[in-house]
Amino acid sequence: MEQVWLLLLLTIKVLSVTAQFNGYNCDANLHSRFPAERDINVFCGVQTITMKINFCTVLFSGYSETDLALNGKHGDAHCRGFINNNTFPAVVIFIINLSTLESCGNALVVSSARGINAYGNTSVVQIGNVSGYIDTPDPPTIISYLPGLLYKFSCSYPLEYLVNNTQLASSSAAISVRENNGTFISTLNLLLYNDSTYSQQLLIPSTGLPLKTKIYAAVRATNLDGRYH
C-alpha cells in the first residue's frame, strides 16, 4: 500500500509540472523557480537591440508572454515580445530597432568621456546610452500572490552612430557629422530653435511636429584639429 501511495504522488507531481510548462521547452528541475538576473540576455547589435528572457521562469511565476512589455507599455502590442520555443529554454524575445529606439519609452542619455580622435589628439567622445526595462503589469486586485517581474537593460553606442541610424528625437543634443575618417566625432553640437534669432529653443512634443514646421538649427564646432576653422 505504501508503494501505491508513492507512485500516486509521483504521478500527481509529473502532471502538475507538465501543466505548468504547457508544452514549452523547459526543465522542471532547472526552471521551477522565480526569475533571476541571469534570465535575461541583452545583445547590442548594429541595427537592433535584442533581449531574450527565459520564458520558463516567467511561466513558473504565473505569467504569460503577453504580460511582459517594454517600459510599462502594456496596452501597446508593438511593445510586447514574442516566444521562441525552438531554443532551450524557451525565450521571450524583444527587439528594439535603433531607427525608432524611443517608440516604446526607451531612454537615450548622452554622456561625454575623454578619448583620442583620428589624429591622436585627446578629445571629448560622446556616448549615447539606450536603456529601459521589461516588466509585468500591476496586479488587478489589492492582494495578489503574483510576484512583480522587472528586467533592466542598457546598451551604449558612439553618439555619431546613433545619429546616423536613428530619428532625431531631441531638440537639444550633441551630435556628430558622418565622416569616413571619423575626424568630427564628438566635435559638433546641434541646437534647434523656433525663431531665426535663436532665442526660443524648440520643444518637440511626444506626438511629433506638424509637417512644414520651420526649424532653425544652430551648429557649434569645438575641439577641432588645427587644420580646420
Side-chain angles (χ1 to χ4, degrees), residues 7-37:
L7 179 60
L8 180 59
L9 289 174
L10 288 175
T11 303
I12 293 175
K13 183 178 181 180
V14 171
L15 290 176
S16 64
V17 169
T18 302
Q20 172 190 339
F21 291 121
N22 200 23
Y24 292 100
N25 287 333
C26 302
D27 187 333
N29 296 321
L30 298 175
H31 306 128
S32 295
R33 59 174 176 81
F34 292 120
E37 184 177 348

Side-chain angles (χ1 to χ4, degrees), residues 89-217:
V91 294
V92 183
I93 299 177
F94 290 82
I95 297 176
I96 299 174
N97 197 311
L98 292 183
S99 64
T100 55
L101 60 86
E102 292 181 317
S103 61
C104 286
N106 303 299
L108 173 59
V109 177
V110 178
S111 60
S112 299
R114 304 299 297 180
I116 305 299
N117 64 15
Y119 296 96
N121 299 323
T122 302
S123 180
V124 176
V125 178
Q126 290 172 323
I127 303 297
N129 182 268
V130 182
S131 63
Y133 61 89
I134 299 168
D135 69 345
T136 51
D138 293 331
T141 58
I142 297 177
I143 300 177
S144 175
Y145 295 97
L146 292 177
L149 305 186
L150 178 65
Y151 305 86
K152 295 182 179 180
F153 64 88
S154 66
C155 286
S156 295
Y157 294 89
L159 189 59
E160 180 192 33
Y161 183 83
L162 289 179
V163 170
N164 289 333
N165 291 276
T166 66
Q167 300 173 351
L168 187 61
S170 174
S171 62
S172 175
I175 68 169
S176 306
V177 173
R178 184 173 184 175
E179 290 287 336
N180 291 334
N181 59 10
T183 301
F184 288 99
I185 292 180
S186 40
T187 60
L188 298 181
N189 289 332
L190 173 68
L191 296 174
L192 303 181
Y193 294 87
N194 286 317
D195 59 324
S196 59
T197 61
Y198 302 98
S199 59
Q200 299 179 0
Q201 191 167 330
L202 177 67
L203 297 178
I204 302 178
S206 58
T207 56
L209 293 173
L211 295 176
K212 298 184 179 180
T213 299
K214 284 189 175 182
I215 299 175
Y216 298 87

